[in-house]
Amino acid sequence: MNIFKHTPWPSRVNWFTWLVAVLLLGGLLTCAAILFQQLRQSENDQIDRYLDSIAQHIETDLHGTAGQQASVQARMAMRLAFDGPFDRAAWAADAARLIEAHPYYDVLAVLDADYRVRWLAGGEQAAIAEGRPFPLSVEAIGRLAEIGPEMVSIALEPLQTASGQPAILFMTPVIADDEISNWLAAVMVVPDSVKAMLTGFYLRDVILDGSFAGVDFIISEGAVGQQRSEFARQLEFPLNGGRSSLSFNVALKSSTAEQIRTALPATVLVLGSILAILMVASVLLGLAATRQARYLAGANISLKHEIRDRQLAEQELAFLLTHDSLTGLPNRQGMLRQLEQSIEELIPGRRLAVLFIDLDQFKDVNETLGHHLGDELLRLIPDRLQAELDDPDVIGRLGGDEYLVSLQRKDAARIERLAVNLLKSLERPFQIEEHQLFVTASIGIAYLDAASPSPGELIQNADAALFRAKQLGRNQFALFVPEMFAEVEYRLNLSRDIRRALDEGRFKLAYQPIVDLESLEIRGVEALLRWPHEDGYFVPPQDFIRVAEETGMVHRLSQYALAQAVSDLAAWHAQSDDPPFLAVNISGVQFRETDFVRDLSLLLHHHRISPGCVHLEITEDVLIENLSLHHDVLKQLDDIGTPIVVDDFGVGYSSLAYIKNFPVSTIKIDQGFIRGLGHDADDRAITRTICDLSRELSLLTVAEGIEQMDQLELLRAFGCNLGQGYLFMRASSAEAITAVLNGEVPWRDLAGRNQDEAEEISLATRKNGPQRWV
C-alpha cells in the first residue's frame, strides 16, 4: 500500500525533513551526554588520585611515627639492659619524661622474665599493679615465647584503659647475656596516639575516623556536621601477627570534592545541547525549500540589524575608551582630553586647578562588606561631590577609589575653600541597603603654571600632593610644591636600594633588653632593624618600612629580620639556662598574609624554639583594621601558643573591647607617657590606670623609653612588670646580648646610682636610638 498516494509532495518533504531533524538531534544529544559522562569521570578520577595521595601521607605518617615510638621503647630497654643492677630512679625519670612528652602513653612497666610487674609508671588500672602478673592473654604469652634475643618492640593485643578508651600493648625484651632478663611493657591509648601522629594539614580536607578492638573513634576535630562525600578509603594496620587490626576510614569532605569539581561537564552538556538544537534548526532551514525566500528576507533584515548593532558597539567602545564603566564618569584618558580643552579655553584672570581625591581606607569596605557594596559606594561618591561643584567643573574617576576634579576659579583661596567643602560633604553617612557607611578622603591640589604646563604633569603633581596629604594624617588636602619631586625621587631610589640591600645583606638587627623592673633581671629582648646605607648614613626605619610596604618588599624584609632574630634566639637558648624571650613587631601587611602563621610555625620548628618564647607586638590600629580576618589569625597564633602584645597602647583607640575579645597577653605602654612621668600629672594618671587595668585583666605591662631613675621608681610603684630604655641599655648587637646573659650586666648597680648619673647615661645612649622593624 502506498502511503504517499494521496499526500501532496510538499507534505512528504516536510515529513522527511522533520524525521532527519529528530534523528540528528538525538545523535548530537547522545554525543553531548557521552562527553559529559567522560568529563565527569575524569573529575572523579582526579578526586580519587587526590584522596589516594592524602591516604598515602596518613599511612606513611602513622608507620613512621609508630616506628619512632618502637625505637624509643627499644632504646629504653637497652638502657635497662646496660644498667646491670636496675636503677629504679633512672628508669622512673626516663618513664616520666616519656609520658610527659607523649601523654598518650597510659602505662609503662618493667616486668620480670615471668611477666610479673616489677616497676610501674603511668595510668591507674586495677588490673596492673607492682608485684602482680601483668594481664596477658595465653595467646600473647605464646607469641612472646617465640621471640628471639633481639630488643625489638612487638605490638600485641588490644587493652582497655580505665577511661574506657582502646589501647594497644607493646612488649620489648630486655636482653642481658643473650637472654631475656626482663620485659618493658608500654600501653598506648590508640585515639590519642593517632591524633598526635597526624598533622593538621592532612585533616583539612578529609574526615578521619578509626576502629580498634570493637571501639569506634573520630580523629578529625570539628567533624561533627561535616558532610562526607562518596569518596573514601579504608586503611588497615594488622597487629599481633594478624590476630587484631587497627582500621581507619578516610572520607573526603563534600566541600572539598565540590571545590575540585568544575562546571565544565555541565557547561559542555548545556552548550552541546544548545549547539545540537542550533544545528538542527540550521538543517531545518536548509531543507525547507518552501521557506527559502522568507529566510533570505529575514537574513537581509538581520544584516541591517547587525550593521546597526556594530555602529552602536563602535560608539559604545569609543565611550568606554574615555569613560569609566562603573560610574559613567570620564576616566584618565577622558580627563586628559578634558584638561587639554580646559587649558585651551582658560578664561583670563582665572586659575585652573586639578584636585586628586582618594578615599581613606576604602579597602576595609570591600573586605568587610563585599565588593558589591563597595561599587555602590563608588557610584554615590560623585553625586555627593557634584553637589559642591559648579556646572562647568568636570569630575572623573581614574580607577579604584581615585577621583579627579578639573575646575576654574578666580583665585586659589576659593579653590582651597572648595577642597574643605568637599571633605566635609563626605562626612555625612552613606546609606546603602541596611548599612550606614562613613568615609573620609584625602585631596592633592595642583595649579596650572609654568612648572606644570601639560595635563599629564598636572595630574602627576596632584598625585604627589595627595601622597603628602595622606602622610599628614588623611582627611585633609595638601598643595603641590616643587620640593615634592625630591621626595618622590627619594622614595623611588629607596625602593631600588631596599632590594639591593636585601640582596647584599646590609640590613642589621639590634636588640634592646626588656628588664624585670623589680629584680632588674633581663627577661627578653626586642628585635630592632637597622639599615646602614652604603652612602654612610642610617636610613630612618619609618622611611624604608613605608616604602617596603608600598612596593611589596615588606614580605622579604620581614622574612629576613624574623629568620635572623629567631636564629639568634636559638643560639641564646643553646648557651643559656635562662634565655630571654624575643619580642618582634608585626605590621598589618604581614598580618594579612595567608601563610603568616604557617611560615612562623615552620621557622620556630626548624630552630626548635617554643612559640611561647616569641612575643608578637601588634599596634592597636592593626588589630581593628579587619576584625574578622585578624581575629582568625590571632586565634591561630593563640592556638600554637604565641603571646600577643598590644604595642604603643594609649596613643590609638585604647579600646577595652579588643582586649576582651582578642587573646592579648601583654600591654606595652607608649613611651610618650613614660617620658612625662616625672613632671606631668596626666601622664602619671594614664600610666597608673593602664597598669591597674592590666593587673585586673591578668595582663603583663611593659613600659618603653625608660631613661630616668624617677620614671623607674614610679613604674615600680604603679606595679608595671617589665620595662626597656636607655636607663638600662641601648639597642645593641647579638654579641652584646650574649655578654649580658653571661653576667656582664651594664645596669647591675643601677639601684645605687643617683638621678644625675642616670641622666648622664640617658644622654649618652640617646644619640643612637633604636630603629624598629615591622
Side-chain angles (χ1 to χ4, degrees):
M1 179 178 180
N2 187 356
I3 62 175
F4 297 107
K5 182 176 180 180
H6 301 291
T7 304
W9 171 247
S11 299
R12 280 180 277 172
V13 174
N14 189 53
W15 178 88
F16 178 77
T17 300
W18 282 107
L19 177 61
V20 171
V22 170
L23 293 176
L24 180 59
L25 180 61
L28 292 175
L29 291 177
T30 301
C31 293
I34 293 174
L35 184 57
F36 168 81
Q37 291 296 334
Q38 290 177 344
L39 292 174
R40 181 64 74 187
Q41 184 60 42
S42 177
E43 287 184 346
N44 291 341
D45 294 342
Q46 181 181 0
I47 297 174
D48 281 330
R49 290 192 296 270
Y50 180 68
L51 181 57
D52 288 337
S53 174
I54 294 178
Q56 184 178 3
H57 281 298
I58 293 175
E59 186 175 11
T60 302
D61 265 7
L62 290 175
H63 275 300
T65 311
Q68 293 175 4
Q69 294 303 315
S71 300
V72 170
Q73 297 170 23
R75 287 196 297 270
M76 180 176 285
M78 292 178 66
R79 285 196 294 272
L80 288 170
F82 289 154
D83 285 343
F86 287 165
D87 184 352
R88 178 168 186 168
W91 179 83
D94 285 347
R97 283 193 296 271
L98 181 58
I99 294 175
E100 180 180 3
H102 307 288
Y104 47 81
Y105 277 91
D106 185 61
V107 172
L108 284 174
V110 177
L111 314 181
D112 290 333
D114 57 354
Y115 311 117
R116 184 174 298 275
V117 179
R118 182 173 185 179
W119 299 334
L120 180 64
E124 300 177 0
Q125 295 197 31
I128 303 176
E130 293 187 1
R132 296 178 57 182
F134 194 89
L136 293 172
S137 65
V138 176
E139 291 82 4
I141 295 175
R143 178 84 191 283
L144 294 176
E146 301 172 0
I147 298 176
E150 295 182 356
M151 292 187 184
V152 178
S153 296
I154 299 175
L156 283 180
E157 56 194 13
L159 295 178
Q160 193 169 36
T161 64
S163 62
Q165 296 189 11
I168 187 171
L169 171 64
F170 286 86
M171 295 288 289
T172 307
V174 180
I175 308 300
D177 297 329
D178 295 331
E179 293 183 357
I180 299 176
S181 62
N182 291 85
W183 295 89
L184 175 64
V187 179
M188 294 171 56
V189 180
V190 172
D192 294 345
S193 61
V194 171
K195 290 179 181 179
M197 291 177 185
L198 296 178
T199 62
F201 297 104
Y202 296 138
L203 308 180
R204 180 186 61 186
D205 295 331
V206 298
I207 298 175
L208 179 64
D209 50 29
S211 175
F212 182 66
V215 178
D216 297 331
F217 52 89
I218 297 177
I219 304 300
S220 302
E221 295 183 1
V224 177
Q226 293 282 348
Q227 296 295 326
R228 304 167 184 258
S229 68
E230 69 272 22
F231 301 93
R233 295 291 184 273
Q234 192 75 20
L235 300 180
E236 292 284 344
F237 297 88
L239 303 173
N240 194 16
R243 296 176 177 88
S244 61
S245 66
L246 174 62
S247 62
F248 294 95
N249 183 54
V250 184
L252 197 66
K253 294 181 179 178
S254 296
S255 58
T256 303
E258 291 303 321
Q259 290 176 0
I260 298 177
R261 294 189 186 277
T262 67
L264 181 59
T267 303
V268 168
L269 181 62
V270 173
L271 293 180
S273 301
I274 294 175
L275 182 61
I277 294 173
L278 292 176
M279 291 184 64
V280 169
S282 299
V283 170
L284 289 174
L285 291 174
L287 296 178
T290 57
R291 299 182 180 179
Q292 187 67 27
R294 186 181 302 172
Y295 172 78
L296 291 176
N300 290 333
I301 296 174
S302 177
L303 181 58
K304 292 179 181 180
H305 290 166
E306 184 178 349
I307 294 174
R308 186 186 63 185
D309 292 343
R310 179 173 297 180
Q311 292 173 344
L312 293 175
E314 292 175 352
Q315 295 174 2
E316 183 178 358
L317 179 60
F319 180 84
L320 292 177
L321 288 175
T322 57
H323 288 76
D324 172 50
S325 59
L326 179 64
T327 62
L329 298 175
N331 57 16
R332 180 179 293 271
Q333 188 65 30
M335 288 303 296
L336 286 172
R337 295 183 182 180
Q338 290 285 349
L339 282 173
E340 289 177 356
Q341 183 178 353
S342 298
I343 293 174
E344 294 176 357
E345 300 174 356
L346 179 61
I347 300 174
R350 297 174 71 90
R351 299 206 65 177
L352 174 63
V354 167
L355 277 62
F356 203 125
I357 304 173
D358 182 81
L359 302 184
D360 299 329
Q361 303 296 339
F362 174 73
K363 62 180 179 181
D364 293 343
V365 176
N366 281 336
E367 292 177 355
T368 57
L369 300 179
H371 287 272
H372 68 289
L373 284 179
D375 290 344
E376 184 61 27
L377 177 61
L378 292 175
R379 282 191 286 264
L380 295 178
I381 292 292
D383 296 336
R384 185 72 62 84
L385 298 176
Q386 194 70 55
E388 303 295 331
L389 301 175
D390 296 339
D391 291 339
D393 300 336
V394 179
I395 181 171
R397 177 171 177 252
L398 301 189
D401 58 344
E402 296 177 342
Y403 299 88
L404 201 71
V405 176
S406 170
L407 51 86
Q408 297 182 32
R409 294 293 187 273
K410 289 183 178 181
D411 50 47
R414 296 173 184 264
I415 295 174
E416 294 166 17
R417 188 161 54 249
L418 173 63
V420 173
N421 293 337
L422 291 177
L423 293 175
K424 290 182 177 180
S425 70
L426 297 177
E427 294 179 356
R428 302 193 308 274
F430 291 86
Q431 187 68 39
I432 303 178
E433 296 179 0
E434 71 276 10
H435 301 281
Q436 196 174 46
L437 306 181
F438 293 86
V439 296
T440 60
S442 301
I443 301 178
I445 303 176
Y447 292 103
L448 177 68
D449 52 27
S452 53
S454 68
E457 290 173 325
L458 265 174
I459 296 177
Q460 181 180 355
N461 295 345
D463 191 11
L466 172 66
F467 181 79
R468 172 60 60 84
K470 286 187 175 293
Q471 281 185 315
L472 295 176
R474 299 174 176 168
N475 195 23
Q476 56 185 293
F477 71 89
L479 301 176
F480 171 77
V481 292
E483 290 77 10
M484 291 181 181
F485 281 127
E487 183 177 352
V488 173
E489 184 179 4
Y490 172 71
R491 289 194 294 121
L492 291 175
N493 292 335
L494 208 59
S495 173
R496 177 200 61 204
D497 293 346
I498 288 175
R499 289 179 170 84
R500 185 164 62 233
L502 278 172
D503 294 337
E504 297 175 359
R506 292 186 176 274
F507 286 97
K508 306 298 181 183
L509 276 180
Y511 302 93
Q512 187 173 43
I514 300 175
V515 179
D516 187 310
L517 297 187
E518 286 297 330
S519 64
L520 295 183
E521 295 181 355
I522 184 172
R523 295 302 184 203
V525 292
E526 181 179 4
L528 309 166
L529 189 63
R530 291 177 172 172
W531 180 11
H533 198 274
E534 58 186 2
D535 292 339
Y537 66 95
F538 278 88
V539 182
Q542 61 270 22
D543 288 355
F544 68 75
I545 290 173
R546 184 179 66 248
V547 173
E549 289 180 343
E550 293 172 354
T551 58
M553 292 298 296
V554 71
H555 179 71
R556 278 191 62 192
L557 194 64
S558 302
Q559 280 188 326
Y560 166 80
L562 189 58
Q564 182 60 51
V566 172
S567 177
D568 291 338
L569 180 63
W572 294 326
H573 275 250
Q575 63 190 14
S576 174
D577 295 332
D578 189 18
F581 64 80
L582 174 68
V584 294
N585 293 269
I586 303 300
S587 73
V589 176
Q590 286 176 272
F591 226 56
R592 288 190 294 270
E593 294 175 355
T594 56
D595 297 332
F596 170 67
V597 179
R598 188 202 65 181
D599 293 344
L600 176 62
S601 300
L602 292 176
L603 178 63
L604 296 178
H605 178 73
H606 175 74
H607 289 282
R608 300 297 189 269
I609 297 296
S610 170
C613 296
V614 178
H615 296 197
L616 301 183
E617 298 189 358
I618 305 168
T619 58
E620 299 173 65
D621 55 346
V622 172
L623 277 178
I624 68 172
E625 182 179 284
N626 189 326
L627 292 178
S628 59
L629 172 63
H630 290 180
H631 188 278
D632 293 340
V633 177
L634 289 171
K635 178 66 169 57
Q636 296 177 40
L637 291 172
D638 186 54
D639 289 342
I640 68 175
T642 302
I644 305 300
V645 181
V646 179
D647 197 11
D648 297 335
F649 186 84
V651 299
Y653 299 91
S654 303
S655 172
L656 301 181
Y658 64 75
I659 296 179
K660 173 185 176 182
N661 296 325
F662 292 146
V664 175
S665 65
T666 306
I667 288 178
K668 198 165 190 179
I669 307 173
D670 183 71
Q671 59 183 339
F673 300 114
I674 307 303
R675 190 179 301 115
L677 280 182
H679 58 273
D680 192 314
D682 291 340
D683 287 344
R684 287 196 298 272
I686 292 173
T687 304
R688 183 190 300 110
T689 301
I690 294 175
C691 292
D692 292 342
L693 171 66
S694 301
R695 188 164 48 253
E696 291 296 328
L697 296 176
S698 300
L699 302 177
L700 293 177
T701 48
V702 182
E704 54 182 351
I706 304 175
E707 300 181 358
Q708 299 175 0
M709 282 296 299
D710 60 343
Q711 296 170 350
L712 175 60
E713 295 304 326
L714 284 171
L715 289 169
R716 282 174 167 173
F718 296 161
C720 185
N721 308 107
L722 305 171
Q724 62 187 99
Y726 299 147
L727 184 61
F728 306 111
M729 186 176 178
R730 58 178 287 183
S732 304
S733 63
E735 291 76 13
I737 300 299
T738 301
V740 173
L741 295 176
N742 291 333
E744 300 179 17
V745 182
W747 63 89
R748 184 186 305 278
D749 57 343
L750 186 61
R753 294 175 178 165
N754 57 31
Q755 180 67 21
D756 294 336
E757 291 175 333
E759 291 180 356
E760 290 178 4
I761 296 173
S762 175
L763 290 173
T765 56
R766 196 178 299 154
K767 296 178 180 179
N768 209 341
Q771 301 182 21
R772 175 172 296 173
W773 71 278
V774 180

